[in-house]
Amino acid sequence: MKLIKKVNILIVGLGLLGGSYAKGLKKLGFTVNAITKDRFSIDYAMENGIIDNGTTDVNPEMVAEADLVVFALYPHTFIEWIKANQQYFKSGAVITDVTGVKGCVVHEIQDILREDVEYIAAHPMAGKEVSGVVNSDDTIFKGANYIVVPTEKNTPEAIELCRNLGEILGFKQVAELSVEEHDRMIAFLSQLTHCIAVSLMCCNNTPGLESYTGDSFRDLTRIARINDEMWSELFLSNREVLLEEMERFRSSFDELYEKIKDGDRDGMRQMMRLSTERRKLFDKKDK
């Protein structure tokens, strides 16, 4: 199943990612409506042609018109929204999301969701250190990765539809992971890196450091400008796996610490060579 222009799309949660989805899909010619709690976000999106229509209340007619619903909400809010409003979905509707942790939402929502509505989870690995629809930018998807997270309850048609969504938005690579694989991967590649950036910014409060820094520090701490409400929920929602990855990092950091303390230059260089080789795999390449 592929997305065609007559598909009516509803975005629930018009922040940075929801707004970027809306902007990209509207440019492609889709009808895009939105529900979000902030009136300013709706007004801004309509004035700037990001959506066709929007509301701050759950409009049953707007929900019922949607063939595809994209949820860009915090995990607990996503679950609460489904419990309160799923009766408004049209039969045959497909819902997806951008939620950063899957174990805390996917199985619960699939268990409570009506049988004539399908939820196929997804995670766009894209973002910026700003928030809100005013900062929406569909170019953040270019060169980024998009992960589809199916379960045994998903149909091949819904999986194909979700993959196609990532493709038409411009993601460079579309991959599939199980719920468990996704949450372990995200604990290392995203959550741990945010933990490191936060810790680095909190460990030294010497005045005036910003006047002396180079690009290495700025690059390493770019993600330390963090949405504390969202990321604290994501950390706790994936706590066990994240703590395992933090322990693994602590072990590696301690190993480097001991090599420096002991003057083990050969050991340091060995770790650095391994780091260099592995980092090469992550360099973005142009199409």
Side-chain angles (χ1 to χ4, degrees), residues 100-103 123 125 147 149 177-193 237-248:
V101 177
K102 299 305 182 189
H123 188 180
M125 298 295 291
I147 303 167
V149 189
L177 290 174
S178 69
V179 171
E180 293 74 21
E181 290 170 334
H182 170 274
D183 284 2
R184 180 159 295 280
M185 176 279 301
I186 212 69
F188 176 68
L189 290 178
S190 179
Q191 295 181 335
L192 176 62
T193 55
S237 297
N238 203 29
R239 174 167 34 194
E240 290 185 11
V241 182
L242 176 57
L243 288 174
E244 290 176 13
E245 295 298 339
M246 292 178 76
E247 187 61 41
R248 196 193 310 271

Side-chain angles (χ1 to χ4, degrees), residues 37-60:
K37 62 182 180 181
D38 180 39
R39 184 72 241 176
F40 171 80
S41 297
I42 294 295
D43 293 340
Y44 178 89
M46 292 186 65
E47 289 169 3
N48 288 274
I50 297 173
I51 61 174
D52 292 284
N53 202 356
T55 177
T56 57
D57 299 315
V58 176
N59 184 317

